[in-house]
Amino acid sequence: MGVTCVCQVPVAEGKSVQQTVDMLHKKLEQLGAIKQGNFWVDCETYHATGNATGQPSKLLYVMHNSETPLSSMALFEGGPGLTADANFDVLMVKLKSHFQNAKGHKVESRGTRYRYCDFLVKIGTVAMSSSARGISVEVEYCACVIPGDCWNLMKEFMQSFLGSSTPELPAVFTNKAEGLYTPVDCMDTMSQYLELFGKVRKQQVLPGSGVR
Amino acid sequence: MGAVRIRSCFLQLIAQVQEVSLDGLETYVPLLSMSQNLAKLAQRIDFNQSSDSDEDGPERESREPWGKPEPEEDEGTVKFQPSLWPWDSVRNNLRSALTEMCVLHDVLSVLKDKKYMALDPVSQDPALTKTPQVFQLISKKKSLATAAQLLLKGAEKLTKSLAENQEQRRQRDFNSELLRLRSQWKLRKVGHKILGDLSYRSAGSLFPHHGTFEVIKNTDIDLDKKVPDDYCPLNVQIPSDLEGSAYIKVSIQKQSADIGDLGTVSLFRRQPKAKPGSQMWHLKLEAAQNVLLCKEIFAQLSREAVQIKSQIPHIVVKNQIISQPFPGLQLSISLCHSTGEKKSQRASPDKSKPDDHLYVLEHNLHQLIREVHTMPHPASSPFGHKRLRLAGPMAYDKAEISSLQQSEGLLEKIIKQAKHIFLRSRTARTIDSLASRIEDPQIQAHWSNINSVYESSVKVLITSQGYEQICKSIQLQLNIGVEQIRVVHRDGRVITLSHQEQELQDFLLSQMSQHQVHAVQQLAKVMGWHVLSFSNHVGLGPIESIGNASAITVASPSGEHAISVRNGPESGCKVLVQFPRNQAKELPKSDAVQDARWTHLRGPYREVHCGRMEGRNFVYKMELLMAALSPCP
């Protein structure tokens, strides 16, 4: 469990999603990272039913991460989050009358997992109903849990293979009430993924990115 | 005057007419005044008449129409004496009453004195008032007899029940014995038979033995004869394959000369001491359960021995598992099941083993087999460790989850423990043998009290006697694991040694030789000598087979003398002293160096025979040498 930073890499000019991903893989392997299996992160959307008309119903997002295979995370956009057992999904089925599953809105990111000393880099293809929409890159520095202490190191590392697409300090850490020097939680990772998935949903369908 | 007089008691309010004159004028009788009326009424009071006169009263009134002349007569007699005071009769009556009262008062006051008059009761006829005493006696006797009968009946019942209880206790009723059995073992009724369960299945064991025993009534008792002391109306029949007693024998034996033999141990052998009140069935059942436990342990071990892969494969022969944790070391676990009552075989010379060690091993084995048992759990919680329930809400990642899940079997754990214990004892023996063999640098070993089953640690210090404060640069922390020993040096180096005994010995010997040179360095500081050169691993001189030689050169404060020491683990120590040129026996003359002052420089070397020097140890000898070479000012 370390400090994570999730960012989106734009597809290179004239290339497909898969080719950009392969380029990133090659850069990492040149750096000296070792491939360590696959990963996936997915997100399902639920509408809250039965509220007063006129107000947009709040959306509940239930996410899973292969890093924590026995947990489910439930969060509202910008609101509170909940970490629970895997049985939470069954609970959501029981709460069908209160929360409707928006089946077409499931987003997931799948890809390979690389390990470079204390860094874990996960490059995944963000897909929505099996059409690739973008690329997500997650960098985790496992040796530290305080974002303020290791952000500079992470940024330098990301610059080495992401180049110009290196992100700024994620808003999740700066928005915390206690500041940058509080320990991270798995919720921070999930909120970053949620933000990224939201952005991807709003984007138009990429040209030439049909069924993978 | 023909007025009708009505006898009444009320006051006359209307005046009576006395006469009516011829001219119609009425002459009224004058009304009586109040006092006259009262006097008239008072005269009518008759003091002599009793209450009977009330009855005569209405007769008189009924006679009234005929008896008119009488009241007239009365009134006439009254009227006859009009000069008398109207209250006179009243006064007379009262006076006579007073007289009577005074007489009574006098009589009573005379009576009070009891001198002149006494009161005596008049004897009464007893036959009229009381019942005869005989009748009373009879009735009382009868009631007492009924009460006594009731009490006797009750007492009889109590004594009878008490006698019954004692009788029962003496005879040990089958049902009460069954109750005692039920309080300790699981029983159930199947048809006519009572069956019990002595297996560990309720604790989660998956061993396929049924473990049922049958409870039978003991009817071969002759009630006429005396009941024997250990008679029990209940008997248990245990399955035939659990009869007798069993134990597990573990032995670690060496197969080559340099490895120590750890010996043999029998686990679960000793029967727990029978409590004074326990029954034979209890002992029988416990023995059978012990046999079952040993069988289960052995079955689990043999199953794992066949399944797991290791470098040297395990051998499973009929009731023995043989494995080799280290080459040359043999660990054998065997199940010894003896049926029958041959007591002579029990007398084995195992009493030399200390008791507490056995209990620790047995407890360890119990814990291991309990970890294999799957505890019954509710349907909603999955298999596995209890802490895995927290994995979801606490978002454990894969590393944490895998650390919680066990993947090792029972045999592996046992073998790991055996390896660790063996390695630890061998390390201890190596250090001790070195310490006893070599005197010059001394080895001290401080073993840590707190160990785990797979790891122990010891701190080894190499010092010289008398110079412990000065020369303490060699301090080693040895962490003994399952297969390797990790050494952490004081200067930060980490070295990993294998289980070979020789490696540790060579390493310690090389450290000891290094210590000597380090000691000279520290000594030089204390004595004021300057260190000219120091090397832990010199590349010159004869090659050592164990480690490297180290060397140091120190110069005296005046600079006139210098001492060079070279110490190797095999080659021993070599000490050379450098003298100034003017002290040399043959002074090589040369034309280039003419000045006398150059003769003060150091020149030739001479070797010191350390063995012939005085001194308890090497550092002491060096100190003497340094002291000898620095002249007094």
Side-chain angles (χ1 to χ4, degrees):
Chain A
M1 187 70 233
V3 181
T4 6
C5 171
V6 180
C7 64
Q8 190 180 7
V9 171
V11 182
E13 283 294 318
K15 296 224 167 116
S16 73
V17 172
Q18 188 59 37
Q19 287 172 330
T20 322
V21 167
D22 288 337
M23 263 171 46
L24 285 168
H25 285 181
K26 217 179 287 184
K27 275 198 200 152
L28 277 173
E29 271 158 25
Q30 272 176 354
L31 254 185
I34 313 162
K35 194 163 169 182
Q36 250 193 5
N38 294 333
F39 86 101
W40 47 263
V41 176
D42 65 41
C43 167
E44 292 170 1
T45 322
Y46 287 84
H47 295 280
T49 57
N51 58 339
T53 53
Q55 282 175 352
S57 60
K58 277 202 117 176
L59 292 173
L60 175 70
Y61 298 99
V62 176
M63 308 183 69
H64 303 92
N65 191 346
S66 62
E67 283 302 300
T68 57
L70 299 176
S71 314
S72 303
M73 267 74 74
L75 31 130
F76 287 104
E77 185 125 23
L82 157 83
T83 319
D85 204 27
N87 291 329
F88 189 74
D89 303 324
V90 183
L91 186 66
M92 287 310 287
V93 172
K94 299 247 185 246
L95 291 174
K96 237 190 300 196
S97 50
H98 294 275
F99 285 101
Q100 288 277 330
N101 191 357
K103 292 215 173 59
H105 282 243
K106 179 165 174 179
V107 189
E108 60 175 17
S109 167
R110 275 178 195 271
T112 37
R113 189 169 174 260
Y114 282 90
R115 189 175 151 259
Y116 181 60
C117 294
D118 284 330
F119 287 96
L120 272 175
V121 183
K122 296 178 201 147
I123 304 184
T125 318
V126 182
M128 190 158 150
S129 49
S130 64
S131 67
R133 298 286 196 97
I135 304 170
S136 78
V137 172
E138 179 194 334
V139 176
E140 179 178 351
Y141 182 53
C142 309
C144 182
V145 291
I146 314 278
D149 285 338
C150 63
W151 172 248
N152 291 326
L153 178 66
M154 283 176 70
K155 186 161 173 179
E156 208 176 306
F157 175 68
M158 284 193 284
Q159 269 171 354
S160 65
F161 69 96
L162 286 178
S164 52
S165 346
T166 314
E168 291 306 317
L169 184 65
V172 181
F173 300 130
T174 44
N175 287 347
K176 276 203 189 159
E178 302 92 10
L180 275 183
Y181 291 92
T182 49
V184 289
D185 195 12
C186 64
M187 269 297 139
D188 301 326
T189 318
M190 288 295 127
S191 325
Q192 292 183 55
Y193 265 111
L194 188 64
E195 232 178 270
L196 187 133
F197 290 162
K199 261 189 258 173
V200 164
R201 260 194 227 116
K202 289 194 193 105
Q203 269 177 0
Q204 296 167 354
V205 177
L206 291 173
S209 64
V211 177
R212 259 194 300 144
Chain B
M1 292 239 318
V4 177
R5 283 214 190 117
I6 298 169
R7 188 172 159 132
S8 65
C9 292
F10 50 80
L11 286 173
Q12 207 167 17
L13 291 170
I14 305 170
Q16 299 265 323
V17 176
Q18 193 175 16
E19 72 176 38
V20 178
S21 69
L22 286 169
D23 56 327
L25 212 80
E26 291 170 32
T27 320
Y28 294 101
V29 173
L31 272 176
L32 295 171
S33 70
M34 294 262 287
S35 57
Q36 283 172 336
N37 216 0
L38 185 60
K40 183 174 146 193
L41 286 170
Q43 276 165 12
R44 286 212 186 138
I45 300 171
D46 191 358
F47 285 94
N48 288 329
Q49 277 184 346
S50 63
S51 60
D52 296 337
S53 68
D54 285 342
E55 290 162 64
D56 294 340
E59 280 178 25
R60 274 159 111 213
E61 280 182 4
S62 63
R63 274 188 279 125
E64 218 276 319
W66 302 280
K68 257 189 220 172
E70 284 172 6
E72 282 176 24
E73 226 179 298
D74 281 345
E75 282 184 21
T77 41
V78 170
K79 278 179 185 159
F80 182 68
Q81 293 168 356
S83 61
L84 271 180
W85 175 45
W87 292 96
D88 200 41
S89 62
V90 175
R91 191 189 61 171
N92 287 341
N93 287 332
L94 280 174
R95 196 179 271 162
S96 55
L98 177 64
T99 317
E100 301 276 347
M101 286 301 294
C102 289
V103 167
L104 182 62
H105 180 263
D106 290 337
V107 167
L108 283 175
S109 48
V110 167
L111 264 176
K112 214 170 86 171
D113 261 344
K114 289 187 195 167
K115 269 201 248 182
Y116 307 106
M117 226 194 285
L119 282 176
D120 264 329
V122 176
S123 67
Q124 292 178 359
D125 198 353
L128 288 173
T129 49
K130 287 189 186 164
T131 55
Q133 277 181 337
V134 179
F135 286 156
Q136 277 187 345
L137 187 65
I138 294 174
S139 67
K140 278 216 170 99
K141 221 175 160 183
K142 224 182 201 173
S143 47
L144 279 173
T146 346
Q149 217 174 25
L150 274 169
L151 283 170
L152 276 172
K153 227 193 272 183
E156 215 181 275
K157 270 197 195 156
L158 276 174
T159 45
K160 221 193 284 180
S161 70
L162 189 68
E164 239 177 45
N165 266 351
Q166 281 181 346
E167 196 57 36
Q168 265 185 6
R169 218 180 297 144
R170 200 174 62 83
Q171 277 190 5
R172 290 222 183 110
D173 190 41
F174 177 74
N175 287 327
S176 63
E177 202 61 25
L178 189 65
L179 199 68
R180 280 176 74 184
L181 179 65
R182 219 173 136 216
S183 66
Q184 294 181 15
W185 298 88
K186 273 191 359 178
L187 298 175
R188 64 180 196 274
K189 190 151 181 164
V190 174
H192 289 294
K193 293 197 278 190
I194 301 174
L195 298 176
D197 184 17
L198 54 75
S199 72
Y200 285 100
R201 205 150 321 136
S202 55
S205 158
L206 295 171
F207 195 52
H209 197 282
H210 53 90
T212 42
F213 62 92
E214 194 185 331
V215 179
I216 47 183
K217 209 167 186 172
N218 200 355
T219 48
D220 57 346
I221 171 91
D222 204 349
L223 283 165
D224 292 336
K225 295 189 196 155
K226 184 181 180 288
V227 174
D229 274 337
D230 57 351
Y231 164 69
C232 188
L234 197 139
N235 211 354
V236 290
Q237 192 167 27
I238 49 182
S240 55
D241 51 350
L242 296 181
E243 274 173 23
S245 71
Y247 64 92
I248 293 188
K249 190 164 79 165
V250 181
S251 79
I252 299 182
Q253 283 148 0
K254 64 180 174 183
Q255 284 173 338
S256 58
D258 64 334
I259 296 176
D261 183 4
L262 284 181
T264 310
V265 149
S266 304
L267 299 177
F268 299 120
R269 183 166 188 178
R270 212 99 49 88
Q271 302 292 338
K273 280 208 188 89
K275 280 182 259 185
S278 64
Q279 294 292 310
M280 238 218 356
W281 44 258
H282 193 68
L283 297 169
K284 253 190 180 177
L285 288 173
E286 281 204 358
Q289 203 176 40
N290 199 24
V291 173
L292 187 62
L293 176 70
C294 293
K295 282 197 167 182
E296 180 176 354
I297 293 174
F298 193 75
Q300 173 79 11
L301 287 174
S302 44
R303 195 179 357 178
E304 283 174 15
V306 172
Q307 278 176 357
I308 60 176
K309 296 188 180 68
S310 76
Q311 282 178 336
I312 306 168
H314 315 286
I315 306 168
V316 181
V317 184
K318 205 167 58 162
N319 66 338
Q320 205 179 29
I321 301 171
I322 302 174
S323 77
Q324 291 200 335
F326 287 125
L329 189 74
Q330 189 186 47
L331 166 73
S332 88
I333 304 172
S334 48
L335 171 72
C336 305
H337 186 180
S338 65
T339 55
E341 310 274 338
K342 292 184 199 162
K343 287 208 178 136
S344 57
Q345 282 182 1
R346 298 279 173 88
S348 66
D350 267 350
K351 300 230 170 59
S352 56
K353 292 277 182 268
D355 278 0
D356 50 350
H357 201 54
L358 255 186
Y359 288 145
V360 168
L361 288 178
E362 283 184 10
H363 180 64
N364 205 356
L365 199 52
H366 259 302
Q367 278 188 328
L368 289 176
I369 198 74
R370 286 289 288 142
E371 278 174 11
V372 176
H373 288 173
T374 49
M375 274 305 290
H377 56 86
S380 55
S381 77
F383 279 108
H385 205 272
K386 274 189 284 190
R387 256 183 246 147
L388 269 183
R389 270 187 254 142
L390 281 177
M394 303 294 283
Y396 282 1
D397 56 6
K398 287 186 226 172
E400 287 169 0
I401 293 174
S402 60
S403 73
L404 279 180
Q405 282 173 334
Q406 285 175 349
S407 50
E408 275 185 343
L410 187 60
L411 187 63
E412 277 183 3
K413 282 190 205 164
I414 291 177
I415 289 180
K416 271 172 81 170
Q417 285 188 26
K419 276 175 152 178
H420 170 69
I421 290 172
F422 176 74
L423 199 56
R424 185 175 70 192
S425 66
R426 193 151 73 168
T427 307
R429 223 192 42 232
T430 312
I431 296 174
D432 290 344
S433 68
L434 266 182
S436 56
R437 189 158 56 98
I438 300 178
E439 280 178 3
D440 193 1
Q442 293 174 323
I443 292 191
Q444 298 174 25
H446 300 287
W447 287 86
S448 159
N449 268 337
I450 303 171
N451 305 327
S452 84
V453 267
Y454 299 139
E455 203 169 317
S456 312
S457 82
V458 59
K459 184 143 184 171
V460 175
L461 304 170
I462 299 178
T463 52
S464 295
Q465 192 188 12
Y467 297 90
E468 286 88 357
Q469 283 302 314
I470 304 173
C471 322
K472 47 182 180 177
S473 51
I474 308 282
Q475 290 175 6
L476 309 164
Q477 173 92 22
L478 270 72
N479 286 338
I480 304 167
V482 175
E483 279 173 356
Q484 291 174 331
I485 301 173
R486 209 170 70 125
V487 183
V488 180
H489 204 282
R490 188 165 177 247
D491 54 16
R493 283 180 287 162
V494 177
I495 301 152
T496 312
L497 302 171
S498 79
H499 66 272
Q500 304 276 354
E501 197 176 8
Q502 196 62 35
E503 271 192 41
L504 179 64
Q505 195 172 9
D506 293 347
F507 178 69
L508 286 175
L509 285 172
S510 71
Q511 287 298 305
M512 280 157 131
S513 101
Q514 271 190 9
H515 162 78
Q516 305 285 46
V517 175
H518 281 254
V520 173
Q521 183 195 25
Q522 300 295 323
L523 190 64
K525 270 193 223 161
V526 171
M527 302 284 286
W529 284 52
H530 310 293
V531 175
L532 293 179
S533 78
F534 171 69
S535 167
N536 257 331
H537 312 278
V538 286
L540 306 170
I543 299 175
E544 311 276 340
S545 60
I546 309 168
N548 286 323
S550 8
I552 186 171
T553 308
V554 290
S556 67
S558 58
E560 283 190 341
H561 301 273
I563 302 176
S564 295
V565 179
R566 182 188 191 274
N567 194 317
E570 259 189 350
S571 54
C573 71
K574 195 160 170 182
V575 181
L576 293 161
V577 176
Q578 196 179 21
F579 289 94
R581 295 165 80 101
N582 53 15
Q583 285 184 21
K585 286 189 187 143
E586 318 128 0
L587 209 59
K589 289 246 193 252
S590 94
D591 293 326
V593 181
Q594 298 255 333
D595 221 346
R597 62 185 169 181
W598 299 117
T599 54
H600 293 286
L601 289 178
R602 293 191 297 269
Y605 282 90
R606 279 174 68 185
E607 191 172 339
V608 175
H609 295 283
C610 289
R612 293 191 350 212
M613 264 189 82
E614 258 198 39
R616 168 177 44 198
N617 53 25
F618 178 72
V619 185
Y620 187 62
K621 290 179 191 173
M622 287 295 110
E623 191 186 353
L624 280 180
L625 189 61
M626 285 183 195
L629 290 174
S630 354
C632 300

